[in-house]
């Protein structure tokens, strides 16, 4: 059973880079695609980006300019970096496994990140 766990600081200062890591267990990260999704308080889910099983990243157009996804196969980890963080980036961040036809069939617990000075 594939399991995902997000980790990273829960508090980020404005203008700093928000960095989170998704650790995958129970399966090879090269066998699936992985996605980052966030949900700001009071708002809906927002797809941020994904990294394919071949390693190629894909980004939401609205976040592409300041989003970077990378994969470390030796550590079974996918890292999300969001630069120039603002309070509007405050959200619960989740990593997911991407299933058939862009379904999200496995989710991490999610981690709360607050951008505030």
């Amino acid at each position: 059973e594939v399991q995902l766990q997000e980790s990273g600081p829960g508090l980020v200062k404005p203008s700093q880079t928000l960095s989170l890591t998704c650790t995958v267990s129970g399966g090879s990260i090269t066998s699936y695609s992985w996605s980052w999704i966030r949900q700001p308080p009071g708002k809906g889910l927002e797809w941020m980006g994904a990294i394919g099983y071949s390693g190629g990243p894909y980004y939401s157009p609205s976040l592409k300019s300041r989003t970077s996804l990378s994969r470390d196969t030796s550590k079974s980890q996918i890292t999300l970096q969001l630069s120039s963080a603002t309070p509007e980036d405050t959200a619960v961040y989740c990593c997911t496994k991407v299933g058939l036809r862009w379904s999200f069939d496995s989710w991490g617990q999610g981690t709360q990140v607050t951008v505030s000075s």
Side-chain angles (χ1 to χ4, degrees), residues 27-115:
S28 173
I29 64 172
T30 62
S31 298
Y32 304 97
S33 296
W34 310 91
S35 177
W36 282 97
I37 297 172
R38 70 178 183 180
Q39 185 171 33
K43 298 182 179 180
L45 298 172
E46 179 183 21
W47 179 80
M48 302 183 68
I51 187 163
Y53 53 80
S54 63
Y58 306 89
Y59 302 109
S60 168
S62 63
L63 298 170
K64 182 178 181 179
S65 64
R66 58 192 186 99
T67 303
S68 178
L69 268 58
S70 60
R71 182 180 71 180
D72 188 334
T73 58
S74 66
K75 297 181 179 180
S76 295
Q77 293 180 332
I78 301 96
T79 298
L80 165 70
Q81 295 191 45
L82 184 66
S83 65
S84 303
T86 74
E88 298 300 316
D89 294 316
T90 295
V92 174
Y93 288 76
C94 295
C95 60
T96 74
K97 181 171 74 71
V98 181
L100 185 65
R101 301 177 68 181
W102 281 97
S103 65
F104 305 105
D105 54 12
S106 185
W107 294 65
Q109 299 181 58
T111 185
Q112 172 70 47
V113 180
T114 299
V115 181

Side-chain angles (χ1 to χ4, degrees), residues 2-45:
V2 173
Q3 296 175 325
L4 301 88
Q5 178 66 61
E6 303 91 346
S7 62
L11 180 63
V12 178
K13 293 183 177 181
S15 81
Q16 292 186 335
T17 295
L18 189 160
S19 182
L20 297 172
T21 297
C22 176
T23 301
V24 177
S25 62
S28 173
I29 64 172
T30 62
S31 298
Y32 304 97
S33 296
W34 310 91
S35 177
W36 282 97
I37 297 172
R38 70 178 183 180
Q39 185 171 33
K43 298 182 179 180
L45 298 172

